[in-house]
Amino acid sequence: MSEETGSRAEQRARTRRTLLDQSRRLFTEHGYGGVGLAEIVAAAGVTKGALYHHFDGKPALFRAVLEQVQREVGAAVAGAAEARTDPWEQLTAGCRAFLTASTAPDVRRIMLVDGPAVLGWNQWRALDESSSARHLEESLAALAESGILRPQPVAPLARLLSGAMNEAALWLAGSGDGQDLEDVWSALSRLLESQRRSE
């Protein structure tokens, strides 16, 4: 690759990063409906043509931002789980990390509030399934196979827990009371513990 080609590729990558960063900030502050393309390109310091070079429009840009947010939350959950060696502690650490990450204003607004509204429920669920919900189901399946979970179908349990955590995360993000995270975690811990097989 020539130096000129390499520098053009770097410039394109920088432009894309800037568009994602500025869009994420604006979507967090004003919501998807409160932000126009003109504001995004002005904040990023690029032309509309540059935006359309990278994204088909505002919905595609939002989807890219949402995917970025989901990857970061997924990494936080995986990191918390991988820091433990006990399988049950991996599950609980991952669940707590999800709740904690979801209280961040950008995660709440982009992933939990605007995500389903902008993409539609089916597309949002498909993205959720491919990230956090899939990891939760895999973790529960491993616990079931090793006899740690009570015998039961794993798929419905994963959906119930995922829905409960998403709803709790929405509530936490709007509560403004730091004690609420501990209260939610205490309730979720009891719910998880009720699915654990007695020794």
Side-chain angles (χ1 to χ4, degrees):
M1 181 180 355
S2 72
E3 189 174 320
E4 186 177 339
T5 304
S7 109
R8 276 200 306 268
E10 289 167 11
Q11 178 60 43
R12 281 193 298 272
R14 270 196 305 275
T15 299
R16 182 181 169 83
R17 272 194 312 274
T18 301
L19 283 165
L20 288 171
D21 291 346
Q22 293 303 319
S23 297
R24 182 171 177 164
R25 180 181 63 78
L26 290 167
F27 291 147
T28 300
E29 291 172 4
H30 307 290
Y32 178 84
V35 178
L37 285 181
E39 293 167 81
I40 293 170
V41 296
V46 301
T47 64
K48 275 193 181 176
L51 184 147
Y52 282 113
H53 177 76
H54 293 279
F55 304 100
D56 289 341
K58 187 173 146 188
L61 177 56
F62 177 82
R63 184 182 174 110
V65 170
L66 172 59
E67 288 171 347
Q68 180 185 64
V69 169
Q70 286 184 314
R71 279 193 306 273
E72 290 173 9
V73 171
V77 169
E82 289 165 6
R84 305 292 199 281
T85 54
D86 176 77
W88 185 259
E89 288 179 9
Q90 288 176 333
L91 171 69
T92 58
C95 290
R96 185 173 179 116
F98 174 81
L99 288 174
T100 302
S102 297
T103 61
D106 56 344
V107 175
R108 176 192 173 273
R109 176 62 129 173
I110 292 165
M111 190 172 85
L112 300 172
V113 175
D114 284 346
V118 173
L119 297 184
W121 182 250
N122 288 337
Q123 276 192 50
W124 183 83
R125 283 296 301 148
L127 281 178
D128 189 51
E129 284 287 331
S130 69
S131 56
S132 56
R134 178 175 55 82
H135 295 305
L136 176 60
E137 187 168 352
E138 288 170 357
S139 178
L140 291 170
L143 289 168
E145 286 170 20
S146 61
I148 296 171
L149 271 188
R150 294 176 185 273
Q152 62 186 296
V154 169
L157 177 62
R159 278 17 170 228
L160 286 167
L161 289 174
S162 179
M165 286 191 286
N166 282 340
E167 185 62 31
L170 271 172
W171 180 72
L172 280 171
S175 78
D177 184 344
Q179 180 58 39
D180 286 339
L181 177 59
E182 292 309 314
D183 292 344
V184 165
W185 176 243
S186 177
L188 182 61
S189 295
R190 289 192 297 274
L191 181 61
L192 290 170
E193 199 62 40
S194 72
Q195 303 307 309
R196 192 175 184 179
R197 176 180 274 172
S198 304
E199 294 297 333

